[in-house]
Amino acid sequence: MPPIIETLTFNADGLIPAIAQQHDTGDVLMMAWMNAEAVAETLATGQVCYYSRSRQKLWRKGETSGQVQKLVELRIDCDADTLLLLVDQTGAACHTGRRNCFYTAVRGGELTEIATPLISPETLYGHKHG
Amino acid sequence: MPPIIETLTFNADGLIPAIAQQHDTGDVLMMAWMNAEAVAETLATGQVCYYSRSRQKLWRKGETSGQVQKLVELRIDCDADTLLLLVDQTGAACHTGRRNCFYTAVRGGELTEIATPLISPETLYGHKHG
């Protein structure tokens, strides 16, 4: 493990939240979780790897969909318990095929969809589920 | 409670992570947690209110320091388990007096400080601790 990982504060499950932001536009793409191994792999390879809480294993972003995230810079917050990943996102960060996951806004007290898919989930994942 | 809150997925502790982003520059300022009451108050008042896990009570951002966050728009991610708050931040979001909390970057394999305080923590909090 790189010594940098020893400076991080992981939660009781051994995880730390990681916010992915498109490095040039500032678009906040998604938030997911990493364990120490995912942080180490991300730093070593330059390709973002999370930890999937539902599948309980490393989640190499884009390994199924092709929508990979290249790491531009990893930043750590003042409490060392949250990561900000500046990334270069290929295509859609969201499993719905949208560029980012935050496509629902509260406007006028109502949930409002503010972005449409760039690509269909069937195209992203169809060959795995077909 | 507004019905919107019933659509959110809170964790086992009744909390949901909230990312604060400066609405016009795209600067990711901080990540903190909200409970249902904090979300409701934020929507009702337009001033961001978190839940402090250390103090175990509502944390009206800026109530001590004056560094308030005005809510511009609340967004919800695809799984409804993370919030993105577009805000207008007065001064420094970080308790260290820096504009944002993510002032430590990994560069050349080393932790590197990439931002300096706008204001000293003593000026922000001194009158409470003096």
Side-chain angles (χ1 to χ4, degrees):
Chain A
M1 290 286 166
I4 285 164
I5 292 173
E6 292 169 19
T7 70
L8 301 178
T9 299
F10 295 90
N11 70 11
D13 296 323
L15 302 175
I16 188 169
I19 302 159
Q21 180 180 35
Q22 175 65 27
H23 73 101
D24 47 3
T25 65
D27 192 18
V28 175
L29 300 169
M30 58 182 283
M31 201 279 275
W33 296 79
M34 289 183 160
N35 61 5
E37 192 179 353
V39 179
E41 177 168 317
T42 297
L43 287 170
T45 65
Q47 295 291 329
V48 177
C49 173
Y50 298 102
Y51 179 82
S52 168
R53 294 176 300 171
S54 57
R55 286 179 281 141
Q56 297 192 289
K57 61 175 192 171
L58 291 181
W59 164 27
R60 295 178 178 91
K61 176 70 180 158
E63 66 186 332
T64 304
S65 66
Q67 314 295 289
V68 295
Q69 292 179 345
K70 182 181 172 189
L71 183 70
V72 174
E73 186 163 277
L74 187 145
R75 295 184 187 166
I76 302 167
D77 82 341
C78 52
D79 298 323
D81 65 0
T82 305
L83 302 177
L84 177 65
L85 313 172
L86 301 183
V87 304
D88 194 12
Q89 171 72 53
T90 297
C94 185
H95 74 287
T96 64
R98 291 175 178 81
R99 176 66 174 172
N100 74 62
C101 296
F102 298 96
Y103 57 84
T104 305
V106 178
R107 293 185 178 172
E110 302 288 337
L111 296 178
T112 308
E113 194 174 306
I114 59 172
T116 52
L118 305 174
I119 185 168
S120 76
E122 292 71 25
T123 304
L124 285 177
Y125 302 103
H127 60 288
K128 296 293 284 190
H129 298 288
Chain B
M1 289 288 166
I4 285 165
I5 292 173
E6 291 169 21
T7 69
L8 301 178
T9 299
F10 295 90
N11 70 10
D13 296 323
L15 302 176
I16 188 169
I19 302 160
Q21 181 180 35
Q22 175 64 28
H23 73 101
D24 47 4
T25 65
D27 193 17
V28 175
L29 299 169
M30 57 184 284
M31 199 281 273
W33 296 79
M34 289 183 160
N35 61 5
E37 193 179 353
V39 179
E41 177 168 317
T42 298
L43 286 170
T45 65
Q47 295 291 329
V48 177
C49 174
Y50 298 101
Y51 180 81
S52 168
R53 293 176 299 169
S54 56
R55 287 179 280 142
Q56 297 191 290
K57 63 174 193 172
L58 291 181
W59 163 27
R60 295 178 177 90
K61 175 71 181 159
E63 66 185 334
T64 305
S65 66
Q67 315 294 289
V68 296
Q69 290 177 347
K70 181 181 173 190
L71 183 69
V72 175
E73 186 163 277
L74 188 145
R75 295 184 186 166
I76 302 167
D77 81 340
C78 51
D79 297 324
D81 65 0
T82 305
L83 303 177
L84 177 64
L85 313 172
L86 302 183
V87 304
D88 194 12
Q89 171 72 53
T90 296
C94 184
H95 75 287
T96 64
R98 290 175 179 82
R99 177 66 174 171
N100 74 61
C101 296
F102 298 97
Y103 56 82
T104 304
V106 178
R107 292 186 178 171
E110 302 287 336
L111 296 177
T112 308
E113 195 173 305
I114 60 173
T116 53
L118 305 173
I119 184 168
S120 76
E122 292 72 25
T123 304
L124 285 177
Y125 302 104
H127 61 288
K128 297 292 283 189
H129 299 286

